[in-house]
Every structure is written in structure tokens, then in C-alpha cells.
Amino acid sequence: SIRYSYGDHEIFVRKGEYIGDSIQLSNSISVDDGHVTSLGAIALDSTSFVTYYECDGGEARPGLIDGDSIVLGPVSNFTSGWNPWYMDASPLSDSSFVLAYGYFHFCGLARVGMLRDNTINFGSSVVFDSTRVNSVFSTTMDNNHFVLSYGDKESGYDTTICTTILGSVSGYNITFGNEYPSSLYTSTQPGPVATLDPNHFVISHSEFTSSWQGGAKLGTISLYPIQTMASNVNTCGGSEFFPVFGNYINQICQFSLFMEYDTSKVTFLSFQNPHTQLIVDSLSISSNNGIINIQYSSNIPINISSDLLMELLFETDSIQNGDVYHFTWIDTLSLYINNFGDTIASQFTNGSMVAFESVGAIGSISGSDSICEGLQNEVYNISSIENCSSYTWTLEPDSAGVIQAIDTSATINFVPGFAGNAVLSIFGTNVCGSSDTSFLSINIINTPTADAGSDTTICENSICLLSGEASFCQNTFWATLGDGNFSDPFLLNTLYTPGANDIENGNVNLILFAYALNPCTGEVGDTLNLTIIQAPEVYAGEDDSVCSGNSYLLSGTSDNYSSTTWSTSGDGIIDNPNQLSTLYYPGSEDITNG
């Protein structure tokens, strides 16, 4: 797109297109018919652009290429009242840009613009210079960074210092770094600034005090200082690899790293695992009087965002538990140089190596090896293991209980219903390895059971045979709630003779107790109800007489019976022998016998 003005400073845009060796322009589209004094435009992508200008305030409009036509969006103001001076903009993405300008004679401002639905929304303005500025130039470094080159009139209207500043963008927010003068002369005029790559740019300027000579300088951006980090590792003696890490290593062709260590504690041997971008033939590592010198030089730049740089191999022959060996960077000598010959800001983190001895011998587990099922909060202990940093307790099978361990002590809640054998074990560890494992076999004993048998019934003149059952017990005992007697109350199969009260009451409860096996305590009981049926009683009545030829009324009585039956020793007939009151008809023999 192109822009121009004519007449009374009206601003237009036209689409330009290459056709062969010529340019074909579309019809003009008016952007603003006001009194425009300065203007500019940037492309966001191949079909969209933003034009910005001063017309009694700062205004901007988005534009969209549609075939041979241009469609303009609404006007958005980025200043009002005072007019912006010396504007320039840089695209950040296909929908965002940053606009920088001098705000009358007060200060330099920048704002982020976002394009949404062909409408521009501006963020808050941010001051990049608190004095008057002129000739602002902007260039994009990446989606989140831009560089401004501008004239800083900090000493008055007649003195201009060409100044450069880095801006960082997050959403609508802008933060600025330090200002950097690009000339020693106190009167310079800034020129355009151009991006070479995300870390380098070129600025141009003319110097008023040097016969208007032009100049250019290379600018290098280091968003983050290179970080070189020594590790903090543990050693168990012998050979130990010591990793060195690097962050934010961009476009680096040379580095010199110096590390100091105590030669009375450790000895440097060699190195391994250099980063794949490092050319091994260009890398040399040596040690002299306790200083390791790491040198690298190549014309091929390396880029390591965050990774292992290399591993240094040391020998630790004689160690004592808790010894600390320090590795210290000499940051006054250590440096990184990029492919432009710049020394890049660096940060160094020192490291250390902590010595550990092997874990000592393990003792026996103290605690009960025979317990009852379901026992809670049973405690087991072991003596402290020398040089041990952590302890691991295990109960197998894990269905036997839940273990809660703290170092040398373990508390177990055994699961009710689990009986049999379980194994408790423990071993100790530190960074050098593990101790032997100590075991304790635990016999988990069932609680006793008792079964007195089913309820039963006997007659009052009978004896009851009891057949009880019991398990997981050391002995059993029969008890009665009545006044009868057992032939032997300590036998599961025994005889019970009911007492007078038992018979009179008609029933009695008999209880079989089973007593727990050691070390369990207590007993369980089961009750059998014995029903006692009393013997029947019967009364036929007083002896009597009857005239021959007549029947006789029998009137008997009975207790504790289920049925009655009349019978005769003669040849008479009983009318209803199963009724207590019935008629008897004597037979001929009865009459003859009298």
C-alpha cells in the first residue's frame, strides 16, 4: 500500500501492484479529509495494514485489501489535544503493533495497538523518555520485543542525543529497558533502525558537530544474561561426574570458563557428554593448581536454551560422611563471546559435592511376634542405622494390616479377620545405596469360637447329652443358669442332669465358653436353651360299683399330658377311650366275674 497527501493536507491510500517492470495503482481511498501534518503506515500481513497520522490529535485506521479495493475500518484515537510528533510503528503480529511518538514537547510515548474485527484498540501509553524527543524510529525484533531509536532533547532544544532503547511487550503492556546513547557527540540526528536477527539491529545517525557525517552502529540484545550453573551432587567416593548446565546461550562462538576447587579433597580427571552443538575438537579442558580452565572457540555459533553443557569427572578417594567439596566459578575471568565479537553478560552459580559413606549394619526388629487378629496400634522398633537417611518398612501380605512408619518406628493396625503368618521387614538407605533387610515373622492368632449346639427338649426324668464345638481356644467350660449338674463341665461332649428348679421352670440356659489362646485374652460364649417336659399325672377316680345291665360314667383327670386313653382288663366296651369323661358298658365276663 502507498499513501500520499495533496490539497489541504488530505490523506489517501492506494493499492500498488507490480506488473512486469511497472507499478499499477488502484483508485485513491480517502483516509481523512482534515488537516493532516504527518503520517505513516505499516503492513501486518499480505492483506491488512494500519495507517496512522496526526489530524488535531493522533489517529489510526486499519485497512484491508480486498481484490483491487481497499476497505478501511473506523478511526481510533491514540492521542487527543496535544499533537503527536515524529511517529513510527512496528508490527508485532498479524493483529498487533506498537506505535511510538513524541508527545508535543513533553515526552516520548508508546502504545500497543490490537486489531479486532477491523477495529483498532489501544492499550495505555507508556513513557520511554520523560523529555522532549524527535525523529522516532522503530523496528521489530520478535513478537514481544522492539527497538526505538530517537533524538533525546534532554539538554534543551538545540542539543539532540541519538538514543536507543529496548521495549518488551506482554499483551497491551510495555516495559522499557535502559537508554543507550549511540554517539559521543552531543548533537546527533537519529536515522532509521533495521533488524538483522532477533538479537541484532543496526542504527544510523548523522552528527551535527562532525560536518554532518553519517554513522551506523551494530546493536546487540541480550534479553537474559547467560547462566552457567554448577551442580550440587552427592558422592560416595571414587569417580564422580559433576554436571555443568547452561541457559540462554545464543549465537555464542567462544567461551572461557574458570572453576576453582580444593585439590586436597578431589582430583580432576577428565570430562564427558559435551553438548551436541559443541565441536569437540574446538573444546579443551585442563586443570592447574586447583583451577579448571574450559576453553571453546569455533566460527559456528551455538544456541542452547537450557541444557547440559558437559560433565566434569572428579576422583574422591578419601571421604568422610558430611564432607562438602566446593566448586566456585571465577566470574572475573569467565566470559562468553558471540559471533559478532560481543562479550555477553553472564551469571554464574557455584556448586558443591556432599560426601556420604555407605549405610551401616542393620539390627533386629523389636516387637511382638505373636498377636491376636485385629490388634490395633502395635508398635515395632529398630535401632538407628549408621549413615542412614531414610527407612523403608513393609508388611506382607499387605492385607494383614496397615503400617504407619516414621524412621526407626512402625505402628501397625492389624486387620480384623486376618489370621496366619505375616512378615514385617525394614531396610535403610542413603544416596550410596541400601542396607541389608531385617525381617520379623508375626503369627496372627484367631479369636476363639464356641457353638453350644441347637436348642433341645428332654423329659424331667431324662439326662441331656451335650455336643459342643469350639476352635482357636486353649480350653472350654460349660456353665448353667439353673441348678442342674454336668458330668464334666470341661468336656465339649458331656451330660447335663436338670435340677429341681430346672424341671419346675420348664427350661434352662446352658452356656459353652471358649477361652482365647495366648497371648490373646478373654473368652466367647454360646447359649443352648434346654426345655424340660414334666412327666404326666393321671387319676381314674375312686373305685366304684354298678348294677349289672347298667353303664358306668368314667370321670378321669390328668396333668402334663398330650393325650389320654382308657383301657379295660375285662370284656366291656368303652364308649370313647380317648376322652377323660366317657361311658363304660360292662361285658358278660365282667358281670360273671363281678
Side-chain angles (χ1 to χ4, degrees), residues 543-556:
D543 294 344
D544 203 354
S545 60
V546 65
C547 292
S548 60
N550 292 337
S551 63
Y552 182 78
L553 177 64
L554 299 172
S555 298

Side-chain angles (χ1 to χ4, degrees), residues 459-478:
C459 290
E460 67 174 295
N461 54 359
S462 301
I463 297 174
C464 180
L465 174 61
L466 299 172
S467 298
E469 294 181 355
S471 60
F472 311 115
C473 59
Q474 57 181 336
N475 54 57
T476 59
F477 180 77
W478 283 98

